[in-house]
Structures are given as structure tokens and as C-alpha cells.
């Protein structure tokens, strides 16, 4: 891949705000585990992301203790109409459609994501998630909020641990796979201040001060709860 390291760096920029631990999936063995060292969980390195893009492994990332730089609607359904309803609900609340990105989980579901140019508090992201799921009339047991500090989400562009299918990004209109890793270089991040304006429009949402939207520190993490792979 000619622009391999550009793809790796962009994945890191979009998804990784916390490197204290991560989940690794070995497609060859069908295993999912958290890498550890003698002193505790292994930190997520760019080398691991390189292996992910090379499809030697697949990795899942966590949010920090209080904030994340992206939100994922983890859709555990094969129904494309579920994805379209979620996107329509996000647009209804003021998110530009061209800032919503979809990828396949590699299993039967989808990941619907928005990326930000800074960190956003997890509770704000959860408020947005709940409003969108309600507006889209989605089954809350089949559409899950990711990432958190205890629940990881698998990055795209590697392969699913069990199905061995590549987790491609999808065209948001046709939901057909874009079989080009370099597509990640086109992904745009939403300004944190613009997302704050979206939050102000949510039902029963308290207006939030925009300077309160950013979070810079990484704090100690609570007890781990791993996400089951599809």
C-alpha cells in the first residue's frame, strides 16, 4: 500500500485518545484478549495499528476515563434501514450528513460514527446517543454506545476475528463497501464547538458551555468490562 503510514496515522488521529490498554483479536486463532505486560495492560502502540492495517491482528480501542474523540453507534443488526434511520436522526439534530461515516463490523452489523477535532465528555456523547436512538426508534438492545472506558470498539480496515471479512468503510448513500483503505484519509472531523450547538438543540438537554466540551487529561481507569466480539 503506497500510503500505508498515512492510513495508520489517520486511524490513530481519528480513533485513539487513550492508549492505556486495548483489545487484540487474532483472526488466525479466533481469539480475543487484552495484551498484558508484567506490570499490567500493554499500552496501545502505533506498531499494533500497523499490524491491524496489515490484517495480521484486529484491535479494539477504549475511550479515556471521561472523554472520547469519536462516537460509535454499534449496530448489531443486518438491516440497512436501521443505519439510515440513525443517520436521518443525526441530521435532524443538526449533524451534517457528510460528517457521518459508516463501516461494516465484519459480522452482521454496522458501525455508524462521528469524529471530533477534540475530546468530548462521554456523558455529552451519551446524551446525544440516547436522543438519536429514541428519534430513530431503534432497539436499544441492538444499537450500543461505544467507546467507553470499559467497553471497546473494533477499528475498521482489518478483518473480523470469526468471519474473516474485511471491515470496510461504506458509501453512506448506498451502503456498498469502499474497498480502499485510503478512504480513511478523506474522513473529516466535526468541530467540538459545532457539536456543542447540536447538544443545545436536544430535547430536554441543558445548554452546555462550549469551553466545557474539551477534556485534556487522562485519569485512572475503572474496572474493565470487555465487549464480546460479534
Amino acid at each position: 500500500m503506497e500510503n500505508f503510514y498515512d492510513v495508520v496515522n489517520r486511524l490513530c488521529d481519528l480513533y485513539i485518545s487513550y492508549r492505556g490498554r486495548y483489545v487484540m483479536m487474532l483472526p488466525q486463532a479466533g481469539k480475543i484478549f487484552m495484551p498484558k505486560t508484567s506490570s499490567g495492560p500493554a499500552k496501545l502502540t502505533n506498531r499494533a495499528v500497523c499490524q491491524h492495517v496489515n490484517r495480521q491482528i484486529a484491535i479494539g480501542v477504549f475511550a479515556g476515563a471521561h472523554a472520547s474523540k469519536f462516537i460509535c453507534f454499534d449496530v448489531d443488526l443486518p438491516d440497512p434501514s436501521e443505519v439510515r434511520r440513525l443517520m436521518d436522526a443525526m441530521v435532524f439534530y443538526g449533524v451534517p450528513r457528510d460528517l457521518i461515516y459508516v463501516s461494516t463490523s465484519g459480522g452482521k452489523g454496522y458501525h455508524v460514527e462521528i469524529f471530533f477535532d477534540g475530546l468530548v465528555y462521554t456523558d455529552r456523547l451519551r446524551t446525544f446517543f440516547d436522543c438519536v436512538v429514541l428519534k430513530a426508534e431503534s432497539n436499544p438492545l441492538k444499537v450500543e454506545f461505544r467507546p467507553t472506558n470499559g467497553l471497546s470498539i473494533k477499528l475498521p480496515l482489518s478483518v473480523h476475528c470469526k468471519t474473516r471479512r474485511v471491515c470496510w468503510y461504506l458509501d453512506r448513500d448506498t451502503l456498498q463497501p469502499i474497498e480502499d483503505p485510503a478512504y480513511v484519509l478523506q474522513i473529516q472531523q466535526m468541530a467540538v464547538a459545532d457539536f456543542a450547538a447540536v447538544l443545545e438543540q436536544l430535547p430536554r438537554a441543558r445548554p452546555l458551555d462550549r469551553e466545557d466540551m474539551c477534556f485534556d487529561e487522562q485519569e485512572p481507569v475503572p474496572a474493565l468490562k470487555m465487549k464480546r466480539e460479534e
Side-chain angles (χ1 to χ4, degrees):
M1 188 190 309
E2 182 179 353
N3 47 11
F4 176 81
Y5 290 107
D6 292 333
V7 170
V8 169
N9 289 334
R10 189 57 176 160
L11 275 180
C12 292
D13 181 53
L14 292 170
Y15 288 94
I16 301 175
S17 57
Y18 173 71
R19 291 179 179 265
R21 68 188 187 282
Y22 66 103
V23 173
M24 180 185 293
M25 304 146 212
L26 298 178
Q28 298 84 354
K31 292 184 178 180
I32 306 169
F33 62 97
M34 179 181 298
K36 294 184 178 180
T37 68
S38 58
S39 59
K43 295 185 183 301
L44 178 56
T45 64
N46 283 16
R47 181 175 182 273
V49 182
C50 288
Q51 292 176 302
H52 174 93
V53 175
N54 270 330
R55 303 177 195 165
Q56 298 168 297
I57 64 173
I59 61 176
V61 300
F62 295 94
H66 296 287
S68 173
K69 64 196 307 184
F70 76 101
I71 181 174
C72 176
F73 292 72
D74 186 6
V75 181
D76 189 26
L77 291 168
D79 185 4
S81 67
E82 184 73 37
V83 175
R84 294 190 172 98
R85 289 198 306 274
L86 287 168
M87 288 194 291
D88 288 344
M90 293 183 216
V91 172
F92 176 84
Y93 286 125
V95 176
R97 184 175 289 271
D98 60 1
L99 294 183
I100 303 170
Y101 295 91
V102 185
S103 61
T104 172
S105 68
K108 63 182 179 180
Y110 301 89
H111 295 167
V112 186
E113 297 168 326
I114 304 171
F115 304 93
F116 306 102
D117 66 357
L119 290 170
V120 179
Y121 280 109
T122 302
D123 61 345
R124 273 70 163 177
L125 295 174
R126 183 69 205 220
T127 296
F128 174 73
F129 174 90
D130 290 342
C131 289
V132 168
V133 167
L134 184 63
K135 178 68 178 176
E137 299 182 345
S138 298
N139 182 344
L141 299 178
K142 294 296 183 179
V143 181
E144 299 180 331
F145 174 74
R146 296 291 186 275
T148 71
N149 193 237
L151 292 168
S152 65
I153 191 70
K154 182 170 74 272
L155 301 187
L157 301 182
S158 189
V159 294
H160 189 280
C161 176
K162 296 179 181 178
T163 68
R164 298 285 294 164
R165 292 199 291 265
V166 178
C167 305
W168 294 115
Y169 287 102
L170 305 178
D171 181 284
R172 69 174 61 84
D173 297 318
T174 66
L175 297 184
Q176 293 302 304
I178 301 171
E179 297 183 357
D180 180 7
Y183 175 76
V184 73
L185 303 178
Q186 303 177 28
I187 290 179
Q188 301 297 312
Q189 294 161 306
M190 187 175 190
V192 168
D194 292 342
F195 187 63
V198 169
L199 293 178
E200 291 172 355
Q201 305 304 315
L202 297 180
R204 299 179 299 278
R206 178 179 61 83
L208 303 171
D209 295 329
R210 297 186 180 184
E211 57 268 27
D212 289 339
M213 292 298 298
C214 294
F215 188 85
D216 295 321
E217 295 182 302
Q218 298 296 339
E219 297 186 4
V221 298
L224 173 69
K225 181 180 179 184
M226 290 180 61
K227 177 184 183 296
R228 178 182 61 82
E229 178 69 357
E230 296 173 350

